[in-house]
Amino acid sequence: MVIKKKVLITGGAGFIGSHVVRLFVNKYPDYHIYNLDALTYAGNLENLTDIENAPNYTFIKGDITDEKFINSIFETYKFDCVIHLAAESHVDRSIKNPLAFVKTNVIGTMVLLNAFKSCWSERFDGKLFYHISTDEVYGTLGQTGLFTESTSYDPNSPYSASKASSDHFVRAYGETYNMPYVISNCSNNYGQNQFPEKLIPLFINNIIDHKDLPVYGDGNYTRDWLYVKDHAVAIDLIFHKGKLGETYNIGGFNEWKNIDLVRLLCKLMDVKLNREEGSSEQLITFVKDRPGHDLRYAIDASKINKELGWEPSVTFEEGLKKTIDWYLNNEHWLNNVTSGSYKLYYQNQYS
Ligand code: NAD
Ligand code: TYD
């Protein structure tokens, strides 16, 4: 098979990255997919056992902040395109250890940008740097309004500030060096393989174990939720059809107040676990609020819808049911990721 493109996907052993790697490996046998991941606490090769022996797939263990190593792999493989997902991704961890977020999300992105630029000596025909970002860079909304691609950046957490900074550098490389790039900013993802530190998998895991469900503040914070496989499809579309130098917002048209979402999750879990109706809701515990907690995120995804024809494929309830089923059927995965250092993290965050 003649290989048409060599695509480097960073962070491919993480939650969203593993879905993107799988989609590309299976859908494009004439691309070679290189998955570069440092395998931090969030990276897990168990997410990819079904495709690990595919002939068009190579895993590379490495850290995006390691300049010498990153330059060497660009020299060896001459990747045509990069889809950059590797990041520190959890807001609560960024509040405890902001510097780790600057290192990976800002410096790591810079190292990749420099390697991409020098590899092609600024002759970029057919090349692409696709940077995956978040809606959190826009800061918070009040009770109304939506984030559009022209909303000003106004990040509030160390996580979103580090992502905003990396977005700016990608744009700056486009302006300064004519580097071909595209950026997408997506809302909250949920689905299989998400590490149980984020709201939905954390609460699924706690319900299974009859543990408290720690809702921050009064629970009246709003997020726009998207099923992870729909995000992967949007990334595929933007990678192939997005306009260079543009930003695309991706969202689920699916806003939920945390407390309403948690109640729905409890209801669905009671059914799946054959527990008495209302029993999981009794685990809800209101705890101290997150500092700098953004009130509301909501995405206007009309640009990607109109220009590229993308829309979410599943309703929230369908997506949640699939997600719950996956966690219930993958006890081994859940046990593996919640043993060891997870216990320490949980104690520090919630005690
Ligand atoms: P994740 O935390 O599940 O995975 C991150 C991956 O990056 C892990 O596999 C980890 O090992 C790897 N990684 C971390 N530091 C690294 C380093 N220094 N070098 C190499 N690899 C490293 O994250 P996720 O939720 O899958 O998010 C992926 C991307 O999507 C991130 O850039 C995030 O900002 C963005 N995003 C996430 C969401 C969401 O709801 N999860 C929404 C919008 C955008
Ligand atoms: P999270 O999944 O951490 O995503 P993000 O902060 O990137 O939006 O949190 C989603 C929402 O759920 C957010 O408003 C914070 C809230 N939350 C809780 O109430 N309790 C928790 O234990 C966690 C992890 C989150």
Side-chain angles (χ1 to χ4, degrees), residues 13 44 53 64 70 103 112 198 211 233 275 297 336:
N44 186 348
N53 294 319
I64 56 167
I70 295 297
K103 282 188 184 142
L112 285 170
K198 307 273 167 61
K211 276 169 71 177
V233 169
R275 290 188 187 162
Y297 304 145
N336 276 354

Side-chain angles (χ1 to χ4, degrees), residues 59-339:
F59 174 69
I60 305 169
K61 184 170 186 301
D63 190 322
I64 56 167
T65 65
D66 182 344
E67 198 174 355
K68 211 166 139 200
F69 172 73
I70 295 297
N71 288 339
S72 78
I73 61 167
F74 270 82
E75 247 163 59
T76 308
Y77 297 109
K78 297 258 186 277
F79 309 114
D80 298 295
C81 303
V82 176
I83 306 178
H84 175 36
L85 295 110
E88 286 292 336
S89 68
H90 189 39
V91 173
D92 291 326
R93 287 186 194 254
S94 82
I95 294 167
K96 294 240 155 81
N97 186 8
L99 203 53
F101 284 67
V102 176
K103 282 188 184 142
T104 288
N105 300 359
V106 185
I107 309 283
T109 301
M110 288 293 296
V111 168
L112 285 170
L113 287 169
N114 280 337
F116 185 84
K117 176 175 163 284
S118 354
C119 180
W120 299 111
S121 316
E122 300 177 30
R123 287 187 301 274
F124 291 124
D125 279 2
K127 309 294 180 280
L128 178 67
F129 192 99
Y130 180 2
H131 181 60
I132 305 296
S133 192
T134 164
D135 61 353
E136 304 193 25
V137 297
Y138 298 123
T140 189
L141 291 164
Q143 300 296 349
T144 57
L146 298 170
F147 295 134
T148 71
E149 286 79 2
S150 56
T151 303
S152 304
Y153 277 30
D154 191 17
N156 291 316
S157 72
Y159 164 64
S160 53
S162 68
K163 290 297 290 187
S165 170
S166 63
D167 293 10
H168 289 319
F169 275 111
V170 174
R171 249 182 256 273
Y173 272 57
E175 289 298 316
T176 309
Y177 307 111
N178 287 322
M179 191 196 75
Y181 75 92
V182 68
I183 299 175
S184 56
N185 296 80
C186 188
S187 63
N188 287 60
N189 283 217
Y190 70 97
Q192 41 269 63
N193 306 95
Q194 189 170 29
F195 191 80
E197 62 185 352
K198 307 273 167 61
L199 181 73
I200 292 178
L202 181 88
F203 280 28
I204 291 175
N205 188 37
N206 282 14
I207 292 172
I208 294 172
D209 292 342
H210 302 273
K211 276 169 71 177
D212 284 353
L213 306 178
V215 173
Y216 296 158
D218 60 7
N220 284 318
Y221 294 89
T222 300
R223 298 291 183 263
D224 170 359
W225 294 92
L226 178 67
Y227 188 52
V228 63
K229 291 188 182 184
D230 283 332
H231 187 186
V233 169
I235 289 173
D236 178 18
L237 267 178
I238 293 169
F239 179 82
H240 288 98
K241 298 194 174 140
K243 282 197 202 121
L244 293 184
E246 295 268 326
T247 285
Y248 293 87
N249 279 356
I250 310 170
F253 304 98
N254 179 40
E255 280 185 58
W256 283 78
K257 281 199 165 142
N258 291 343
I259 189 63
D260 297 334
L261 186 166
V262 171
R263 290 204 172 107
L264 172 64
L265 186 65
C266 287
K267 210 170 101 189
L268 297 175
M269 289 290 288
D270 284 345
V271 174
K272 296 277 183 195
L273 292 167
N274 284 322
R275 290 188 187 162
E276 197 187 323
E277 199 183 325
S279 60
S280 297
E281 260 201 54
Q282 287 171 21
L283 299 169
I284 293 175
T285 312
F286 292 93
V287 300
K288 193 163 155 268
D289 211 347
R290 172 188 278 175
H293 199 165
D294 285 331
L295 177 69
R296 178 170 163 260
Y297 304 145
I299 283 272
D300 176 352
S302 53
K303 177 175 171 180
I304 184 173
N305 176 257
K306 282 197 197 110
E307 287 187 15
L308 306 182
W310 176 88
E311 61 185 4
S313 71
V314 293
T315 65
F316 191 43
E317 194 156 329
E318 282 164 357
L320 264 187
K321 283 185 183 158
K322 282 176 198 267
T323 306
I324 294 168
D325 285 341
W326 187 85
Y327 282 94
L328 293 178
N329 293 329
N330 287 275
E331 209 184 348
H332 176 72
W333 185 97
L334 202 50
N335 288 341
N336 276 354
V337 301
T338 53
S339 61

Side-chain angles (χ1 to χ4, degrees), residues 40-53:
T40 68
Y41 78 93
N44 186 348
L45 288 177
E46 258 194 77
N47 294 346
L48 290 167
T49 45
D50 55 326
I51 55 106
E52 68 188 1
N53 294 319

